[in-house]
Amino acid sequence: MRQILLITDGCSNVGLSPVVAAAHAKSEGIHVNVVGVLDHGDVGELGAAEIEEIARAGGGLSRMVNTRQLSQTVQMMTRKTVVQTIQIAVQKELQQVLGNGSIEALPPEKRGEVVRVIDELGESSGLRVALLIDASASMKPKLAAVEEAIHDLMLSLQARQGKSEISVFHFPGSRHGDDCIMDLAWTSHLSGVHSIFPKLQMGGTTPTGPAIMQAVDYYRQGEAGDYGRRGRHETDGMMGDYVV
């Protein structure tokens, strides 16, 4: 299973619409979750609306949080999206077999059995999360909270039974650019996470759409084995074929 997790606090203002980019990700089987980090209780109505639209187009979840809630929210959204993905697959199977795609329509004993299977698959299925960090100037005061959230997410992923990996990107790559830089290739280890944050240069525009597309490209090119030549760090280009 594949996810993009976007952490941002404001509106995109450069490049492709992030809503269009999220819809493209969904079409390739990648769910897009978005966490909006509140600044003194308000990121603006426009920013909040965009965050909701990105998640809706990407088939994922959106949440507006303050920095104290960030770590818990990131973990919750990642796990909940896994369960939802599996639930949708199970409902499709039920529809094909029984002509009814609703788990709730099953008899109580069968429904309980299906729910247990979904929970087990949620813990054992392979998972990859591409994390996109908004590194525009307004995010600088929130960087410590983002670092803590990523660290806790890694611990949460390591606690799962199934293979779990994370990659990390930040955007913009330059103060006035619309690019996105890969800081960490796929890994299941905590050691590489701490090296990211001292290198981040906060500031510049907010090219959210291009960043989402670059994460999608990372998934796609990883299957071909040639993305590593484009990122900051080399990657082996090995993509797991995670199928529910």
Side-chain angles (χ1 to χ4, degrees):
M1 287 180 289
R2 304 183 293 176
Q3 293 187 28
I4 291 173
L5 178 56
L6 169 64
I7 300 178
T8 183
D9 74 341
C11 301
S12 62
N13 53 25
V14 177
L16 178 72
S17 162
V19 177
V20 172
H24 185 79
K26 182 182 178 182
S27 72
E28 300 211 12
I30 304 167
H31 288 82
V32 182
N33 295 324
V34 193
V35 181
V37 188
L38 295 171
D39 188 5
H40 300 102
D42 184 20
V43 296
E45 293 184 5
L46 186 60
E50 182 181 79
I51 284 168
E52 292 175 358
E53 290 174 7
I54 293 170
R56 189 180 303 115
L61 305 172
S62 65
R63 291 290 186 277
M64 309 300 295
V65 302
N66 59 42
T67 53
R68 294 187 303 276
Q69 300 168 317
L70 181 59
S71 179
Q72 182 179 1
T73 301
V74 164
Q75 295 179 59
M76 177 276 294
M77 290 177 69
T78 299
R79 287 179 174 267
K80 190 170 182 179
T81 305
V82 169
V83 172
Q84 285 185 345
T85 303
I86 295 169
Q87 189 173 29
I88 290 170
V90 170
Q91 287 176 340
K92 287 181 179 179
E93 290 293 327
L94 287 174
Q95 194 168 25
Q96 291 180 1
V97 175
L98 304 176
N100 190 329
S102 172
I103 295 174
E104 289 74 17
L106 293 172
E109 66 277 7
K110 292 294 184 182
R111 184 166 62 246
E113 183 177 346
V114 169
V115 170
R116 282 194 297 273
V117 170
I118 290 174
D119 288 341
E120 290 175 2
L121 286 173
E123 283 298 309
S124 60
S125 298
L127 172 65
R128 273 181 163 173
V129 180
L131 184 64
L132 301 185
I133 302 172
D134 179 352
S136 57
S138 59
M139 281 291 288
K140 191 171 185 177
K142 301 153 190 168
L143 191 58
V146 174
E147 181 175 7
E148 179 183 357
I150 296 176
H151 181 270
D152 289 349
L153 175 60
M154 290 291 294
L155 290 174
S156 176
L157 293 179
Q158 286 183 327
R160 297 179 71 252
Q161 297 175 12
K163 183 178 181 180
S164 303
E165 294 179 291
I166 190 172
S167 60
V168 182
F169 297 77
H170 79 269
F171 63 93
S174 60
R175 187 168 295 275
H176 302 292
D178 62 354
D179 58 339
C180 175
I181 291 180
M182 183 175 71
D183 300 288
L184 191 66
W186 294 123
T187 183
S188 57
H189 303 290
L190 288 172
S191 57
V193 175
H194 298 293
S195 64
I196 297 171
F197 293 90
K199 303 174 184 176
L200 287 184
Q201 299 294 319
M202 309 295 288
T205 55
T206 311
T208 309
I212 293 173
M213 289 304 300
Q214 190 156 334
V216 172
D217 189 53
Y218 182 40
Y219 276 111
R220 186 191 303 120
Q221 296 296 331
E223 294 171 356
D226 63 355
Y227 189 91
R229 291 191 291 272
R230 305 182 188 185
R232 175 180 293 179
H233 298 295
E234 289 296 319
T235 177
D236 61 8
M238 298 297 292
M239 289 294 300
D241 185 16
Y242 298 129
V243 179
V244 177

